[in-house]
Structure formats: C-alpha cells, structure tokens
Amino acid sequence: MSAPQGLHCGGQDERDRQFEQIVGNGPALEFCLAEVERVAPTDSTVLILGETGTGKELIARAIHNISARCGHPFVKVNCAAIPFDLLESELFGHEKGAFTGAVAQKAGRFEMADTGTLFLDEVGDLPLALQPKLLRVLQEQEFERLGSGRTHRINVRLVAATHRDLAHMVTRNEFRSDLYYRLNVFPVLIPPLRERRDDIRPLVLHFVGIFSRRMRKRIEEIPQATMDAFSTYDWPGNVRELQNLVERAVIRSDNGVLPNPLSTSSASRGSVFKLEGDLLPIEESDRRIEPRAMPEPEPTDSLEVIQRQHILRVLERTGWVISGPHGAASILNVHPNTLRSLMNRLRIRRGTAAVS
C-alpha cells in the first residue's frame, strides 16, 4: 500500500523487525500475527482475507520477511488495477511481436519473483479466462510467455489476498473452485479495525508521529475528546481511513493541538469551515464520518453485500456524484475509475436503493 499503512506489533526487537510497520498489540491482531509466524517458514500458499484498508500487503511482506525467501524478490501485482488485456502479459510476460504493441520481449511478474514471493492482491478480480493459467503455475511451477512455446520453470511462493468472498463467488460460477481450493491452503484473516479497538490509540500516535515529522509540525496534545472519537468510530475504511484522517488532522492542527477530524466542528466555528480566509458552508458529504453515519451490517452478511450497501449509502449521500472533492470516490478513498469498476461489478446503478 502507498505510504506507511501501519499495524506495528509490540514485543521484542526481533519480532518488531519481522513485523515492520505493523502497529498494535491487541488480542485480535496478535492472533493474526501468530498465524503468520506459523505459516511463514513453510512454502505453502497463503490466502490473506480482510476488508479494504486492513493492511493485507503488510501481512504479505511479513510472511516473506520471516520466510527462508527473505532476501529474494518480493513482487506484487494488483489484479484489480491492471486492465484485462494487459494482465496476462503482466503475469507471464510476452515475446516480441506477440501482440500489437509488443515491440520487445518482456519478463512477467512470475519470472521476476523467481526464488522469492509473488503477492497477488485482489485475486478475486482475476478474470476467469486467466484462472486456469494461474492454477497451472501453482501446481506445476511452470508457464509459457505470450507468443512463445517455450516452457519456463520457476520457484515462486504465492501469497494471495482479497476482500471478496471467494467461496460465495465459486457458488455463482464467478471463480474456479479448483483454483479457490489451491489458494485457500492456509487462510489468514485480518480483523477489521472496529474489532481491534485496543490498537486504535497506538495507531493514532504512530501516524501523528509520521505526519508531524513529514510536515514539520509539533503536536504536543491530543485532546481526550479527539481520542474518544477515534476509539468509538466504526472505521469502514479501516487502517487506511484512520491514516488519512490523522493526516488531515495534522494539517489542520494549530498550537500543537490535534483537532478531531471526525467532527464537522473540529476545524470550524459554528457551521463553517475556514479555508484560506474564506468561510465555506459545510457540505452534506462532510458529515459522512460521524460515528453513527452508517448503520451496523448484519453479522451474517458477506463482505460483498456489506461493500455494496456501504457504496450505495455513500452514493445516496452525495446525490450519486462520483468525482470531485465531495464525491463518493473521495469519501470512499478510491480513484473514481476504481469506484465505477466496483459499481459495475456489484451491479450498482443510479436509483438502486440501499438496504437500511
């Protein structure tokens, strides 16, 4: 993930080095890290499960750092970020002339990760047409570049991650069952931040330290009301959302005091925000981060259902505006094109009602 996306485990110095940038020592995170320590020394495939923003890449890096492959390549691919037409070439490489625009031979990510670890993020977005090829690499440790009949043998450990319910996708024929079972050798579930409330305070202090140094601001006080707001908020965006809101608070801090970025009045007086000398009315979308803004999902809901309902509610609050500073993409902390792709995948259209 971009920028420090911390989770940093407490404990002895050696363990701190192994779990670099992982902040927290609550029981939910400790259980997750114990599972990482258990599987990391093996060469088994690991499937990291968790909501968006929980720090799946950090866990993947920790698995690599503790394993015997540490010191060898750690290569990552985000399956949701690469267009379908380019993903096969990105994974397996291509020969010169294999397709229009292939002006030179190119090694794929599997070759680049040879002897090391390949982290396949958002594996639930891998197109069905590519899934048999991935299955073959996992089973046989061999593949061919696009436009070549030569078989390349590799030695790669795969760590995959997703926020989607792959088992549910299998029942709907959206994901191959054989690939799912091959990926799901050792699942590691990262708890959402709302289930790690003991870790919120150290995370806040961690990010305040990072951003105050980066912005050359001295933060001397975090009011109890601000820390209480952090501790009681449900964090639908998890650690990534906390990181971004702490950055916002540091930017707005005056006189060494960290304001509450979860309150519409924390940086204002009355019902206005002061921006570069101008008084601007509070937009409706700025009220999105009040602790009670979103109702609790049902415990039996799948991750996909929860994600769909959350996106729908945010779209309703923005009047279905996607782009811009007060659009749904900004609130959800994703690129507008990513949000449009999610809406298409989740069959969200204007006028679709959110389940309350």
Side-chain angles (χ1 to χ4, degrees):
M1 300 175 190
S2 59
Q5 184 67 16
L7 303 159
H8 194 186
C9 154
Q12 63 269 34
D13 292 342
E14 178 60 26
R15 199 162 188 251
D16 284 344
R17 286 192 293 271
Q18 291 174 342
F19 293 111
E20 182 182 3
Q21 295 184 348
I22 299 183
V23 180
N25 53 17
L29 182 61
E30 283 294 321
F31 178 80
C32 173
L33 298 186
E35 291 288 271
V36 169
E37 289 181 305
R38 186 187 304 274
V39 72
T42 74
D43 256 349
S44 297
T45 301
V46 179
L47 180 61
I48 303 173
L49 304 168
E51 297 176 8
T52 298
T54 50
K56 293 187 283 292
E57 183 181 329
L58 285 180
I59 295 297
R61 285 187 179 275
I63 292 170
H64 175 74
N65 290 341
I66 302 173
S67 75
R69 295 176 183 265
C70 183
H72 294 268
F74 177 85
V75 178
K76 58 183 180 180
V77 182
N78 188 321
C79 297
I82 301 174
F84 170 77
D85 294 341
L86 300 178
L87 186 54
E88 183 175 5
S89 170
E90 196 68 29
L91 290 174
F92 305 111
H94 63 253
E95 298 293 336
K96 180 179 179 181
F99 53 84
T100 303
V103 296
Q105 183 188 79
K106 177 185 175 182
R109 300 295 180 95
F110 273 100
E111 285 182 79
M112 295 166 60
D114 193 20
T115 72
T117 303
L118 178 66
F119 174 50
L120 208 56
D121 199 7
E122 299 300 349
V123 71
D125 290 280
L126 189 72
L128 276 169
L130 284 185
Q131 291 179 22
K133 293 193 174 184
L134 176 59
L135 181 63
R136 181 194 173 197
V137 176
L138 289 176
Q139 291 178 337
E140 309 295 337
Q141 291 279 294
E142 63 182 30
F143 67 94
E144 289 85 32
R145 289 179 183 157
L146 281 173
S148 170
R150 178 189 169 195
T151 298
H152 294 261
R153 292 200 59 83
I154 51 169
N155 175 16
V156 172
R157 189 211 191 142
L158 185 74
V159 177
T162 183
H163 68 278
R164 304 183 69 180
D165 187 341
L166 294 186
H168 188 52
M169 292 178 66
V170 168
T171 63
R172 297 187 303 182
N173 296 318
E174 295 176 353
F175 201 86
R176 288 180 62 106
S177 60
D178 48 3
L179 178 58
Y180 169 65
Y181 296 129
R182 189 63 185 80
L183 291 173
N184 197 34
V185 174
F186 194 93
V188 173
L189 177 63
I190 306 179
L193 190 55
R194 61 181 174 275
E195 296 178 7
R196 298 174 44 202
R197 296 198 182 274
D198 291 344
D199 295 334
I200 291 176
R201 181 181 181 85
L203 279 165
V204 171
L205 297 176
H206 174 73
F207 289 131
V208 166
I210 288 174
F211 293 118
S212 60
R213 288 191 297 271
R214 186 177 299 173
M215 300 176 195
R216 297 182 181 179
K217 281 192 169 187
R218 186 176 181 85
I219 305 298
E220 298 176 340
E221 179 184 349
I222 302 178
Q224 188 59 47
T226 297
M227 193 61 79
D228 289 345
F230 281 126
S231 298
T232 57
Y233 181 52
D234 280 338
W235 300 110
N238 292 292
V239 179
R240 184 183 292 119
E241 183 182 12
L242 173 62
Q243 174 185 341
N244 293 341
L245 285 179
V246 170
E247 181 177 7
R248 179 190 304 175
V250 172
I251 293 171
R252 288 176 169 166
S253 64
D254 293 312
N255 303 319
V257 178
L258 189 78
N260 176 12
L262 290 163
S263 171
T264 54
S265 61
S266 62
S268 64
R269 181 178 62 188
S271 59
V272 294
F273 282 120
K274 190 171 184 179
L275 300 175
E276 300 179 351
D278 296 325
L279 296 181
L280 303 176
I282 298 174
E283 300 288 343
E284 181 65 27
S285 59
D286 287 321
R287 298 190 176 95
R288 67 188 183 275
I289 50 178
E290 288 297 328
R292 301 183 186 277
M294 294 290 173
E296 284 289 325
E298 292 295 325
T300 55
D301 286 343
S302 68
L303 286 175
E304 185 170 304
V305 169
I306 294 171
Q307 182 184 43
R308 187 173 191 271
Q309 291 179 0
H310 182 58
I311 291 173
L312 279 167
R313 293 188 186 104
V314 172
L315 286 166
E316 288 176 355
R317 281 165 172 75
T318 64
W320 290 79
V321 175
I322 294 176
S323 305
H326 300 297
S330 176
I331 296 173
L332 294 166
N333 192 32
V334 298
H335 191 278
N337 288 342
T338 301
L339 177 56
R340 292 184 182 98
S341 177
L342 280 170
M343 291 170 63
N344 184 57
R345 192 184 74 213
L346 298 172
R347 297 180 297 279
I348 296 175
R349 300 287 185 271
R350 187 179 182 92
T352 305
V355 179
S356 57

